[in-house]
Amino acid sequence: MQEIRPFPKEEGLENGLSVLREGYLYIPNRLKIYQSDAVKTRLLGQEAILLGGEEAAELFYDEDKFKREGAAPEPAVATLLGKGGVQQLDDEAHRHRKKLFLDLMSKERIEIWAKLVEKQLYTATKEWITRDSINFYEESQKVLTKAACEWCGVPLKDKEVDKRTKQLISMIESPVAVSKRHIEGRIGRKQGEKWIAGVIEQVRSGTLHPGEETALYRVAWHEDLAGEQLDLKTAAVELLNVIRPSVAIALYFAFTALTLQQFPEEKTKLNGDNPYYLHMFIQEIRRYYPFFPFNGAITRKDFVWNGYQFKKDTLAIFDFYGTNHDPRIWENPDRFKPERFSDWHQSPTDQIQFKLLAQGGGSYAAGHRCPGEWNTVRAMEIVTDFLVNKIDYTLPEQDNGFSLVNMPTTPKSGMIFESIQLKG
């Protein structure tokens, strides 16, 4: 019988303020202090187990041991996630709903997405070149909102772009924010669901006819396991679960621009003969820079892992950022080195699904890894090529540092571009 040992335990009746003070480093700091991949604490009035590392990732994404229902805190549901979405389902209900999203990710549809992102970048650039400067992070949000809506089949008038972009970004930036920004996220979620519900109603009433391959069509007519259409609110949540993450990629767009500034030697490599280098470069951005910090699940049953006794109905929170910087997985993790991914195109999926955890881990089909990861990578390939090969710009003096306290985070200046011109 495996010997049971007590969890290392953080003192305090409530440690939520430490999360706000330390941000992305809260879990890595605790795991380092206690020299363990599992540490007990108290968050949001309940006991929680903090997890990190490759072995813990494999545990966390074990559907036999963990469930998602009830794991997301109310502030995240009210802003980022929405109620009743695929992220909060388990077992057959989750696999059935997840297939809706996986079916959207054919090679053909991913390439259409890439072309739409490129089209919107070119369209935006025609306006950028008339201005003294732009905030690239903010402009990327609008580019991606327009591309995502078109890809999904959702009508979006030019005069609506700023409004809808603001609603979507408020959901993304507010789950762990305080005061005004969090309130804006709640309002943005309500307004966004109302907007999308109205569009779905038009499809169901026959006044709007999106292509059958689009997310709008698929979500509008999707049936649950009982053969019933999704109620309008849930359908709106799920369509936003396609659009909202597509706009969140603006964070990566800003970090791509920052990378090209901080590591200018990469531009030469991106123009080189290695056909895989662009992909390596993008994967390293996704590993190196912070995106979303962590995710939660609830234990389904009592079990023992590495000598620790996990009790049923306990909250567990897995650390993405720290795992992506774990020296046991990544040599010199604080060094930007795309070459570390040189053999990943040859690696079986089951060997890498618990290592790079930029948008979740585990299996795409059976687990909770985000299927939108494929669209993320293609969009980043497009914007990297665009910044390196399609436009010229200058970077004035600005503060391009980013805070690991803010979640999510981005360069403080947003990446200010001046003197923008199309090449050729």
Side-chain angles (χ1 to χ4, degrees):
M1 180 178 292
Q2 188 174 4
E3 182 180 353
I4 306 299
R5 53 179 172 156
F7 280 96
K9 187 173 182 179
E10 181 180 18
E11 298 299 321
L13 296 177
E14 173 55 57
N15 294 301
L17 288 177
S18 295
V19 179
L20 296 177
R21 284 194 297 265
E22 299 176 48
Y24 288 91
L25 296 179
Y26 169 72
I27 298 180
N29 286 344
R30 298 307 174 280
L31 302 185
K32 184 175 181 180
I33 290 168
Y34 294 103
Q35 291 296 293
S36 174
D37 285 343
V39 173
K40 271 191 178 181
T41 188
R42 287 192 64 82
L43 296 172
L44 299 176
Q46 62 182 311
E47 184 175 82
I49 300 172
L50 310 176
L51 297 169
E54 183 179 359
E55 191 177 353
E58 191 167 359
L59 170 72
F60 183 77
Y61 285 99
D62 184 341
E63 299 295 309
D64 183 56
K65 293 183 174 66
F66 287 94
K67 63 180 181 178
R68 267 53 184 181
E69 182 183 4
E74 191 277 338
V77 174
T79 54
L80 183 69
L81 301 176
K83 188 175 180 180
V86 64
Q87 304 97 330
Q88 298 153 66
L89 300 178
D90 295 293
D91 304 322
E92 188 59 30
H94 174 258
R95 288 187 288 273
H96 180 76
R97 188 79 63 81
K98 184 71 172 286
K99 188 176 184 300
L100 166 66
F101 294 89
L102 289 168
D103 287 346
L104 296 170
M105 298 298 168
S106 67
K107 288 183 179 180
E108 293 78 12
R109 291 295 296 164
I110 293 170
E111 286 311 303
I112 289 171
W113 160 249
K115 287 180 171 61
L116 289 172
V117 172
E118 185 174 43
K119 181 186 79 170
Q120 293 299 341
L121 281 168
Y122 272 109
T123 299
T125 301
K126 292 176 182 178
E127 194 266 330
W128 296 346
I129 62 179
T130 68
R131 293 161 58 181
D132 293 333
S133 66
I134 66 159
N135 180 311
F136 185 63
Y137 173 54
E138 293 179 357
E139 293 298 318
S140 295
Q141 296 166 14
K142 291 183 280 188
V143 163
L144 290 164
T145 295
K146 291 193 282 188
C149 285
E150 187 170 354
W151 188 73
C152 289
V154 173
L156 183 68
K157 297 178 182 178
D158 288 344
K159 65 181 182 181
E160 290 184 278
V161 172
D162 288 348
K163 176 181 178 181
R164 301 309 181 190
T165 300
K166 182 178 179 181
Q167 289 169 357
L168 293 162
I169 288 297
S170 72
M171 301 177 208
I172 294 161
E173 293 184 341
S174 61
V176 292
V178 294
S179 64
K180 181 182 177 182
R181 194 151 65 107
H182 183 73
I183 293 171
E184 289 173 349
R186 288 176 177 268
I187 294 171
R189 163 60 59 178
K190 290 181 179 179
Q191 292 175 339
E193 288 184 8
K194 182 178 179 180
W195 160 45
I196 294 298
V199 174
I200 293 171
E201 272 192 308
Q202 292 179 57
V203 175
R204 291 179 175 176
S205 67
T207 58
L208 181 63
H209 303 280
E212 293 185 9
E213 75 285 357
T214 64
L216 174 56
Y217 182 93
R218 299 286 184 90
V219 171
W221 301 115
H222 180 73
E223 296 180 352
D224 62 20
L225 286 172
E228 299 292 333
Q229 280 184 7
L230 299 178
D231 65 84
L232 199 55
K233 179 176 174 58
T234 302
V237 167
E238 296 297 38
L239 188 50
L240 283 171
N241 274 333
V242 181
I243 299 172
R244 171 188 46 77
S246 301
V247 177
I249 300 171
L251 296 162
Y252 279 141
F253 277 26
F255 281 126
T256 300
L258 177 62
T259 303
L260 294 172
Q261 180 204 29
Q262 291 186 325
F263 307 103
E265 68 278 6
E266 293 295 328
K267 293 182 180 181
T268 301
K269 297 177 184 179
L270 290 165
N271 283 321
D273 296 328
N274 186 340
Y276 299 108
Y277 197 81
L278 176 59
H279 187 73
M280 291 155 53
F281 174 80
I282 286 159
Q283 296 292 44
E284 181 67 343
I285 290 174
R286 298 173 69 234
R287 182 203 68 84
Y288 184 80
Y289 293 102
F291 194 52
F292 287 95
F294 38 68
N295 199 5
I298 303 289
T299 52
R300 290 179 179 267
K301 59 185 180 182
D302 293 356
F303 62 89
V304 177
W305 176 77
N306 282 358
Y308 297 127
Q309 175 73 60
F310 285 70
K311 295 291 188 180
K312 182 181 178 182
D313 295 328
T314 301
L315 175 65
I317 303 175
F318 183 81
D319 171 34
F320 293 151
Y321 180 75
T323 301
N324 287 334
H325 287 259
D326 188 334
R328 296 170 299 178
I329 305 172
W330 312 100
E331 183 180 358
N332 298 320
D334 294 327
R335 179 184 172 192
F336 187 85
K337 184 182 177 183
E339 289 83 0
R340 70 176 78 246
F341 291 99
S342 60
D343 63 348
W344 274 48
H345 62 282
Q346 300 173 343
S347 300
T349 302
D350 60 357
Q351 292 183 13
I352 65 177
Q353 60 187 353
F354 304 116
K355 289 183 170 67
L356 180 62
L357 300 166
Q359 291 171 262
S363 164
Y364 288 111
H368 284 264
R369 194 178 190 108
C370 177
E373 198 165 19
W374 298 316
N375 269 9
T376 296
V377 170
R378 280 299 285 129
M380 291 179 70
E381 289 174 348
I382 293 298
V383 79
T384 301
D385 179 65
F386 195 78
L387 294 175
V388 173
N389 299 312
K390 302 300 192 298
I391 64 170
D392 285 317
Y393 56 92
T394 61
L395 295 167
E397 185 175 343
Q398 57 190 287
D399 185 355
N400 285 338
F402 56 92
S403 169
L404 289 176
V405 173
N406 297 333
M407 299 181 291
T409 190
T410 193
K412 292 178 182 177
S413 68
M415 299 302 298
I416 304 300
F417 290 3
E418 292 181 349
S419 304
I420 301 168
Q421 294 294 328
L422 283 166
K423 289 185 177 180

CSV table of all heavy atoms in Angstrom, one decimal, residues 132-135 258 261 393-401 411-419:
chain,number,residue,atom,x,y,z
A,132,ASP,N,-0.4,58.9,-37.6
A,132,ASP,CA,1.0,59.1,-37.1
A,132,ASP,C,1.4,57.9,-36.3
A,132,ASP,O,2.6,57.5,-36.3
A,132,ASP,CB,1.0,60.3,-36.1
A,132,ASP,CG,0.8,61.6,-36.9
A,132,ASP,OD1,1.1,61.7,-38.1
A,132,ASP,OD2,0.3,62.6,-36.3
A,133,SER,N,0.5,57.2,-35.6
A,133,SER,CA,0.9,56.0,-34.8
A,133,SER,C,-0.4,55.2,-34.5
A,133,SER,O,-1.5,55.7,-34.7
A,133,SER,CB,1.5,56.5,-33.5
A,133,SER,OG,0.5,57.1,-32.6
A,134,ILE,N,-0.1,53.9,-34.2
A,134,ILE,CA,-1.2,53.1,-33.8
A,134,ILE,C,-0.8,52.3,-32.5
A,134,ILE,O,0.4,52.1,-32.3
A,134,ILE,CB,-1.6,52.0,-34.9
A,134,ILE,CG1,-0.5,51.1,-35.2
A,134,ILE,CG2,-2.1,52.7,-36.2
A,134,ILE,CD1,-0.9,49.8,-35.8
A,135,ASN,N,-1.8,51.8,-31.8
A,135,ASN,CA,-1.6,50.9,-30.7
A,135,ASN,C,-1.8,49.5,-31.3
A,135,ASN,O,-3.0,49.2,-31.6
A,135,ASN,CB,-2.5,51.2,-29.5
A,135,ASN,CG,-2.3,50.3,-28.3
A,135,ASN,OD1,-2.3,49.0,-28.5
A,135,ASN,ND2,-2.2,50.8,-27.2
A,258,LEU,N,6.4,42.3,-29.8
A,258,LEU,CA,7.4,42.5,-28.7
A,258,LEU,C,8.6,41.6,-29.0
A,258,LEU,O,9.8,42.0,-28.8
A,258,LEU,CB,6.8,42.3,-27.4
A,258,LEU,CG,7.8,42.4,-26.2
A,258,LEU,CD1,8.3,43.8,-26.1
A,258,LEU,CD2,7.1,42.0,-24.9
A,261,GLN,N,10.9,42.9,-31.6
A,261,GLN,CA,11.7,44.0,-31.1
A,261,GLN,C,12.8,43.5,-30.2
A,261,GLN,O,14.0,44.0,-30.3
A,261,GLN,CB,10.8,45.0,-30.3
A,261,GLN,CG,11.6,46.2,-29.8
A,261,GLN,CD,10.9,46.9,-28.6
A,261,GLN,OE1,10.3,46.2,-27.8
A,261,GLN,NE2,11.2,48.1,-28.4
A,393,TYR,N,7.7,49.5,-40.2
A,393,TYR,CA,7.2,50.4,-39.2
A,393,TYR,C,8.4,50.7,-38.3
A,393,TYR,O,9.4,50.0,-38.3
A,393,TYR,CB,6.0,49.7,-38.4
A,393,TYR,CG,6.4,48.4,-37.8
A,393,TYR,CD1,6.9,48.3,-36.5
A,393,TYR,CD2,6.2,47.2,-38.5
A,393,TYR,CE1,7.2,47.1,-35.9
A,393,TYR,CE2,6.5,46.0,-37.9
A,393,TYR,CZ,7.0,46.0,-36.6
A,393,TYR,OH,7.3,44.7,-36.0
A,394,THR,N,8.2,51.7,-37.5
A,394,THR,CA,9.2,52.1,-36.5
A,394,THR,C,8.5,52.0,-35.1
A,394,THR,O,7.3,52.1,-35.0
A,394,THR,CB,9.8,53.5,-36.7
A,394,THR,OG1,8.8,54.4,-36.6
A,394,THR,CG2,10.5,53.5,-38.1
A,395,LEU,N,9.4,51.8,-34.1
A,395,LEU,CA,8.9,51.7,-32.7
A,395,LEU,C,9.5,52.9,-32.0
A,395,LEU,O,10.7,52.9,-31.7
A,395,LEU,CB,9.3,50.4,-32.1
A,395,LEU,CG,8.7,49.1,-32.7
A,395,LEU,CD1,9.4,47.9,-32.1
A,395,LEU,CD2,7.2,49.0,-32.3
A,396,PRO,N,8.7,53.9,-31.6
A,396,PRO,CA,9.2,55.0,-30.8
A,396,PRO,C,9.5,54.5,-29.4
A,396,PRO,O,9.2,53.4,-29.0
A,396,PRO,CB,8.0,56.0,-30.8
A,396,PRO,CG,6.8,55.1,-30.9
A,396,PRO,CD,7.2,54.0,-31.8
A,397,GLU,N,10.1,55.4,-28.6
A,397,GLU,CA,10.4,55.0,-27.2
A,397,GLU,C,9.1,54.8,-26.5
A,397,GLU,O,8.2,55.6,-26.6
A,397,GLU,CB,11.2,56.1,-26.6
A,397,GLU,CG,11.7,55.8,-25.2
A,397,GLU,CD,12.6,56.9,-24.6
A,397,GLU,OE1,13.1,57.7,-25.3
A,397,GLU,OE2,12.7,56.9,-23.3
A,398,GLN,N,9.0,53.7,-25.8
A,398,GLN,CA,7.8,53.3,-25.1
A,398,GLN,C,8.1,52.3,-24.0
A,398,GLN,O,9.2,51.7,-24.0
A,398,GLN,CB,6.8,52.8,-26.1
A,398,GLN,CG,7.3,51.6,-26.9
A,398,GLN,CD,6.3,51.2,-28.0
A,398,GLN,OE1,5.3,50.7,-27.8
A,398,GLN,NE2,6.8,51.5,-29.3
A,399,ASP,N,7.1,52.1,-23.1
A,399,ASP,CA,7.3,51.1,-22.1
A,399,ASP,C,6.7,49.8,-22.6
A,399,ASP,O,5.5,49.6,-22.6
A,399,ASP,CB,6.6,51.5,-20.8
A,399,ASP,CG,6.8,50.6,-19.6
A,399,ASP,OD1,7.4,49.5,-19.8
A,399,ASP,OD2,6.4,50.9,-18.5
A,400,ASN,N,7.5,48.8,-23.0
A,400,ASN,CA,7.1,47.5,-23.5
A,400,ASN,C,7.2,46.4,-22.5
A,400,ASN,O,7.1,45.3,-22.8
A,400,ASN,CB,7.8,47.2,-24.8
A,400,ASN,CG,7.3,48.0,-26.0
A,400,ASN,OD1,6.2,48.5,-25.9
A,400,ASN,ND2,8.1,48.1,-27.0
A,401,GLY,N,7.4,46.8,-21.2
A,401,GLY,CA,7.4,45.8,-20.2
A,401,GLY,C,6.0,45.3,-19.9
A,401,GLY,O,5.0,45.9,-20.3
A,411,PRO,N,2.1,43.9,-23.2
A,411,PRO,CA,3.0,45.0,-23.1
A,411,PRO,C,2.3,46.3,-22.7
A,411,PRO,O,1.2,46.6,-23.2
A,411,PRO,CB,3.6,45.1,-24.5
A,411,PRO,CG,3.6,43.7,-25.0
A,411,PRO,CD,2.3,43.1,-24.5
A,412,LYS,N,2.9,47.0,-21.7
A,412,LYS,CA,2.2,48.1,-21.1
A,412,LYS,C,1.8,49.2,-22.2
A,412,LYS,O,0.7,49.8,-22.1
A,412,LYS,CB,3.0,48.8,-20.0
A,412,LYS,CG,3.2,47.9,-18.8
A,412,LYS,CD,4.1,48.5,-17.8
A,412,LYS,CE,4.3,47.6,-16.6
A,412,LYS,NZ,5.2,48.1,-15.6
A,413,SER,N,2.6,49.4,-23.2
A,413,SER,CA,2.3,50.4,-24.2
A,413,SER,C,1.3,49.9,-25.2
A,413,SER,O,0.7,50.7,-25.9
A,413,SER,CB,3.6,50.8,-24.9
A,413,SER,OG,4.0,49.7,-25.7
A,414,GLY,N,1.1,48.6,-25.3
A,414,GLY,CA,0.3,48.0,-26.3
A,414,GLY,C,1.0,47.8,-27.6
A,414,GLY,O,0.4,47.4,-28.6
A,415,MET,N,2.3,48.2,-27.6
A,415,MET,CA,3.2,48.2,-28.8
A,415,MET,C,2.7,49.3,-29.8
A,415,MET,O,1.8,49.1,-30.6
A,415,MET,CB,3.2,46.8,-29.5
A,415,MET,CG,3.7,45.7,-28.7
A,415,MET,SD,5.4,46.0,-28.1
A,415,MET,CE,6.4,46.0,-29.6
A,416,ILE,N,3.4,50.4,-29.7
A,416,ILE,CA,3.1,51.6,-30.5
A,416,ILE,C,3.9,51.5,-31.8
A,416,ILE,O,5.1,51.4,-31.7
A,416,ILE,CB,3.3,52.9,-29.8
A,416,ILE,CG1,2.6,53.0,-28.4
A,416,ILE,CG2,3.0,54.1,-30.7
A,416,ILE,CD1,1.1,52.9,-28.6
A,417,PHE,N,3.2,51.6,-32.9
A,417,PHE,CA,3.9,51.6,-34.2
A,417,PHE,C,3.8,53.0,-34.8
A,417,PHE,O,2.7,53.6,-34.7
A,417,PHE,CB,3.3,50.6,-35.2
A,417,PHE,CG,3.5,49.2,-34.9
A,417,PHE,CD1,4.1,48.7,-33.8
A,417,PHE,CD2,2.9,48.2,-35.8
A,417,PHE,CE1,4.3,47.4,-33.5
A,417,PHE,CE2,3.1,46.9,-35.6
A,417,PHE,CZ,3.8,46.4,-34.4
A,418,GLU,N,4.9,53.4,-35.5
A,418,GLU,CA,4.8,54.7,-36.2
A,418,GLU,C,5.4,54.4,-37.6
A,418,GLU,O,6.0,53.4,-37.9
A,418,GLU,CB,5.7,55.7,-35.5
A,418,GLU,CG,5.2,56.2,-34.2
A,418,GLU,CD,6.1,57.3,-33.6
A,418,GLU,OE1,7.2,57.5,-34.1
A,418,GLU,OE2,5.6,58.0,-32.6
A,419,SER,N,5.1,55.4,-38.5
A,419,SER,CA,5.6,55.4,-39.9
A,419,SER,C,5.4,54.0,-40.6
A,419,SER,O,6.2,53.4,-41.2
A,419,SER,CB,7.1,55.6,-39.9
A,419,SER,OG,7.4,56.9,-39.3
